[in-house]
Amino acid sequence: MAFFKKSPWLLHYDASSCNGCDIEVLACLTPMYDVERFGCINTGDPKQADIFLITGSVNHRNAAIVKNLYDQMPEPKVVVAVGICAYSGGVFADCYNVKGGVASVIPVDVYVPGCAAKPESIIDGVVQALGVLEEKHKAFRANRKGSGGKYEISDSYSAEPAEAAQPNAEEAHHA
Amino acid sequence: MDLPLLLVLLPLVCGIVVASIKAFNVRKYFVFASSLLLAIVSIACVVKYAKSLPVRISYDAEWIQPLMLGLELFMAGMVAFLAIKYKKKLALVLAFAQVALAIFFEVRYGESIPIHTDIVIDQLTIIMLLIVGIVGGLIGVYATGYMKTYQEENPDVPDRRRYFFLVLFVFMSAMFGLVLSNNILWMYFFWEITTVCSFLLIGYSRTEEAVRNSFRAIVMNLAGGLAYMGAIIVLANDGGILEFDRLSSVPPVFLAIPLTLLCVAGFTKAAQLPFSSWLLGAMVAPTPISALLHSSTMVKAGVYLFLRIAPLLSSSMPGYLTAFVGGVTFLVGAVLAISQRNAKRVLAYSTISNLGLIVACAGIGTYQTIWVALFLTIFHAVAKSLMFLSVGTAAAGMGTLEIEGMRGLIIKMPRIALMMLAGICGMFVAPFGMLISKWAAMEALISLNNMVSPVMIILIAYGSAATIFFWTKWMGTIIRERNPHARSGLYEHHVSGEEYASMFILTVMTILTCVLFPVISSFAVEPYLVSTYGHAFGLSRSNVFIMIIMICMLIVIPALLIAVPWRKKVTMGTAYMGGRTVTEALHFEGSAGADKQVQVQNYYLTRYFDEKRILPVGIIVCTILLMVMGGISLL
Amino acid sequence: MTTQLYVAIGYVLFAPIIGGLMAGIDRIITARMQGRKGPPLLQPFYDVFKLFQKQNILVNRLQLPFVVCHVIFAIFTGFLFFQGSDVLLIIFVLTLAGVFLVLAAYSTGSPFSAVGAERELLLMMGYEPMLIIALVGMYEVAGSFDMYKIMNAPVPVVLYLPGIYLGIVYILAIKLRKSPFDLSTSHHAHQELVKGITSDMGGATLALTEISHWYETVFLYGFLFIFFGANPIVGAVGVIVTFLLEIAIDNAVARVKWEFMLSSAWLVALIMGAGNLIPLFLINRG
């Protein structure tokens, strides 16, 4: 019996949102909407989160970060893109720095429309994501039993941090 | 030749032999042989006398006393010469005062005091003999490997290693003599030798800092020696008895001043507040010196003096005041260790702190607290010397003595790191010895029937809290793996076999003394308590049982969990860095594309626990306590 | 097998359930205080079960073993306590359990975990003096360090140790990870330094820390229980009142800086603890 429906923990990340959707996400935690009744907790740590709640569009700066956070989340995980910006860039779609919606970097499971999205929609989206989560959990369990190999390194480490600097990968003494 | 005499003379012979060999490779084997020999002879001494304790020996030779006086003059002359050379007036004055008092005593009282027993061997002596012989021997072995690297890395320090080993063995000889002596004059003689040896060895590197600190050490220790001599003169004048085991027959009114003076001497040797700065300064000496003299052996001489006079201090004002000085030192030392960045200074303050606890237990002088004091002595000697040795090796490998420099040691120098972790655990983790002793100390203090009890308990409670902080912080720094994929053992290639061997044996001893402590208690410590105090004390069987279970759990469970690959598949990920993409060396791209690296340092809480703020408070409090002690004794 | 051993085994088996229920009640009451409805009662269990079902990503090989050791020693602490062993020794075992958790956090190398670990050490440094003074006070009144003897003392211990009791309530907030002292990891502030010591713990590792927290909670409230003597009703009332008090403080007070936590905890230990202890010694011995 899976418990993801009973205890969905969110990682809320503002990609490049105007904060409109973020305010609505936080409003869900207030007594008016109170998502904690469903066991939702807004955790800031990707390792402890099931649902990656992203607002805002992806630009060149935060693309790597979004990918990094997604990779750090343990399976099973789902992504809920909140707001029109997360889908396609919204009103900012033509800006020079916007790469596009969240789907350009990580796979998205649920889109929540709106600008800004209403708390009711967000909650609805999270509930739908829970269904997806349960399915992924079943798939993950089946998969885990089959595969071999000792270590599976999730590649959040990158060999090159950026185009600009060349850090020395060797560790000298650090006093 | 009887064993005690052999014990005193053998190190001298070994020292001379070792010092006369020029070739390092040959010399080191002589050092091994000497250390082994010393360990064997001390064990033989224990085995031979174990059944017939206490053993009393006296020497009727007339030439011993003048020989000692002559050697004391010679040492004073050496100190005076060096004091003139380096223009240290205070040391010169003290050396002359020393000589003056010694000659005064010899002239006035020299022949008139009959000595019945020169040497007493009881369980306390045996414990100290084993500590000096075994731990001292191991450190000697370590020193051969370490000093070679030390000289290579410090080419501007003149290579005086033969002199180093000579003084080291002279020191060992003096320590054996010190713990064997029942004759107060003899102990004084050996005491002064240890002072001078410490002085010479601290100044080994002859840098300005080393010279300055060596003179600071000798000034304080000579002051203590003067107090000691003063005690001898007063005892000779008033009581006419100069033997430890007969001091109890002196009427207490005549004992007040000598006891106070002896306590002062003990305070200086054991680096209690307000006399602690010399031990901090002595950390400039090479690591084997710090390990041997300034943590496990010489400072134990100060504590040993307290243990010998503990029956006289029991339930008396000087005893309680001594306990307060010890307690305050315990607290202040523990708190100051938090703010030190240099690993040896942390160890120094920790040593001062632990010695404070031993002194406090000795000052109170009930059979329970003496039980605690004896065990603290044993455990501290073993664990602290292990700590110093591992710090020395780690510092040589990492190039710095800072605690921050030991970050990730578990990957860079895994074997040293493991032994260092064992040492740290031995210092403060239940169920290891130091913690059990601290717990027993609290239980012993509670059963006292006066107001000293709550004050001491409060001091220990706060001090104990402080120790958790800095030791765990250090442990955490060692195991902080920033890069789990890094190659292991990169920095370990310089470590010599001698260093490994000695540290490994000490690690095993740390664990064994812990596991075997009920055995040590019933064979050595309890008989001593019965013969001196008439009572035996031991931890209750249920507590011992719990302790043994915990030790097994502590060793077996982590070993099982870490070494055995439980899961076939383990997913490894990165640490959370705010979502930043980092390289394995924790470099990331900062704003405007600048390359930045993650920097994390430990808390040293210098705003609150800095030496400059807290040490003066401790010094003032303890000075006041000492003045009260002096005042009371004069009444 | 004595009664005490049965109680201790009962602790090992049932404390997670009791602790989880207490945590659930805590969350509901907190929610009601904040005008919300709150999660279901069994929510902590759902959380832990879910965490066990997640993939466990580890940062290094030491993390999980240290957390497991932490749990084992936390259980051992409670086991020894309910079995009637020397309470003073038990506090040191508790410290050992805490040290394991701190080492697990240190081993990751992440700055968030490192700061969390240092804060946790500061917290441990803060509550230790008060705890030791409290135990010594209990010994003074009851004549023993055995929990059962303290409970069965002629007079409920709290009557002689009011200051110490209040001091314990003060530092209980530290141990229970409640505001104002939830600096290193917290129930409510899930983003404070991104979860402090549990920063790099997810999945089964985090679930284990939750479970050990339940064990510790039951142990701590058991410790409070013995203040009130052998009458179970009085004890239960005392524990419940303290429980509600802690929740109320948690919701009413903001998190403080570590300087304030350390200095106030040590000051409380001095004034309430020593201030209670010294007169007690004077009366008993003086």
Side-chain angles (χ1 to χ4, degrees), chain C residues 172-216:
Chain C
L172 205 62
I174 299 180
K175 236 359 211 146
L176 292 175
R177 304 201 188 287
K178 294 212 169 296
S179 194
F181 302 129
D182 54 348
L183 286 117
S184 73
T185 189
S186 162
H187 297 303
H188 303 303
H190 299 278
Q191 315 239 7
E192 168 65 5
L193 278 190
V194 200
K195 270 301 229 170
I197 352 175
T198 54
S199 270
D200 284 297
M201 301 183 190
T205 324
L206 188 65
L208 287 173
T209 54
E210 268 303 301
I211 294 178
S212 90
H213 187 64
W214 294 343
Y215 273 108
E216 273 182 17

Side-chain angles (χ1 to χ4, degrees), chain B residues 331 335 338 410 428-431 435-436 438-439 442-443 445-451 453-455 457-458 460-462 464-470 472-477 479-482 484 543 546-547 549-550 553-554 557-558 561-564 567 570-578 586 598-605 607-609, chain C residues 55-62 64-66 68-69 72-73 76 80 83 85-89 92-93 95-96 99-100 102-104 106-112 114-115 118-119 121-122 124-126 128-130 132-133 135-136 139-140 145 194 199-200 204 258-259 262 265-271 273-274 277-279 281-282 284-286:
Chain B
L331 176 58
V335 160
I338 295 179
I410 193 98
F428 86 107
V429 156
L435 186 96
I436 294 300
K438 214 180 297 182
W439 165 54
M442 277 198 256
E443 305 234 347
L445 284 168
I446 286 175
S447 51
L448 277 184
N449 238 341
N450 56 39
M451 291 308 295
S453 178
V455 175
I457 287 174
I458 292 168
I460 294 182
Y462 281 94
S464 168
T467 61
I468 301 174
F469 187 83
F470 68 82
T472 316
K473 176 180 71 169
W474 193 341
M475 274 208 281
T477 311
I479 66 171
R480 199 182 289 172
E481 287 180 52
R482 293 214 295 199
N543 286 330
I546 295 177
M547 260 196 58
I549 294 184
M550 274 191 73
M553 278 170 71
L554 202 53
I557 295 180
L561 290 173
I562 297 180
V564 174
R567 298 167 55 144
V570 174
T571 318
M572 300 286 270
T574 55
Y576 178 69
M577 293 285 179
L586 296 185
V598 175
Q599 296 264 8
V600 188
Q601 286 206 352
N602 289 314
Y603 280 11
Y604 291 97
L605 309 186
R607 239 187 304 157
Y608 306 97
F609 297 136
Chain C
Q55 174 194 43
N56 196 6
I57 296 187
L58 298 172
V59 180
N60 59 41
R61 285 183 53 187
L62 294 175
L64 191 53
F66 277 143
V68 171
C69 287
I72 291 179
F73 279 100
F76 192 57
L80 286 179
Q83 204 255 317
S85 296
D86 191 317
V87 188
L88 197 53
L89 182 61
F92 294 127
V93 181
T95 307
L96 177 62
V99 165
F100 270 119
V102 169
L103 289 180
Y106 265 123
S107 69
T108 61
S110 141
F112 295 96
V115 178
E118 301 265 345
R119 283 178 170 195
L121 283 177
L122 286 168
M124 284 169 78
M125 193 160 66
E128 189 92 356
M130 183 68 228
I132 294 180
I133 293 178
L135 294 172
V136 173
Y139 182 91
E140 261 309 281
F145 277 121
V194 200
S199 270
D200 284 297
W258 70 260
E259 289 98 333
L262 190 60
W266 277 16
L267 210 56
V268 162
L270 197 61
I271 298 177
L277 198 66
I278 294 188
F281 267 82
L282 275 171
N284 275 359
R285 314 284 180 85

Side-chain angles (χ1 to χ4, degrees), chain A residues 1-4 6-7 9 31 34 36-37 39 41-42 44-45 47-50 72 74-76 140 152, chain C residues 27 34-40 43 46-47 49-50 53-55 190-191 194-195 198-202 206:
Chain A
M1 173 187 171
F3 287 90
F4 293 97
K6 302 229 190 230
S7 160
W9 286 6
D34 190 20
E36 213 205 337
R37 342 175 231 151
I41 289 182
N42 183 359
D45 191 341
K47 289 200 175 66
Q48 300 170 8
D50 311 303
Q72 282 198 36
E75 294 282 353
F140 172 63
E152 170 199 302
Chain C
R27 280 173 79 168
Q34 293 171 357
R36 302 183 282 119
K37 194 158 164 262
Q43 186 62 38
Y46 300 150
D47 288 339
F49 291 147
K50 177 213 72 177
Q53 290 179 329
K54 298 264 300 183
Q55 174 194 43
H190 299 278
Q191 315 239 7
V194 200
K195 270 301 229 170
T198 54
S199 270
D200 284 297
M201 301 183 190
L206 188 65

Side-chain angles (χ1 to χ4, degrees), chain B residues 521-540:
Chain B
S521 178
S522 47
F523 277 113
V525 181
E526 282 168 45
Y528 173 73
L529 291 176
V530 171
S531 64
T532 321
Y533 296 92
H535 282 277
F537 174 81
L539 289 183
S540 68

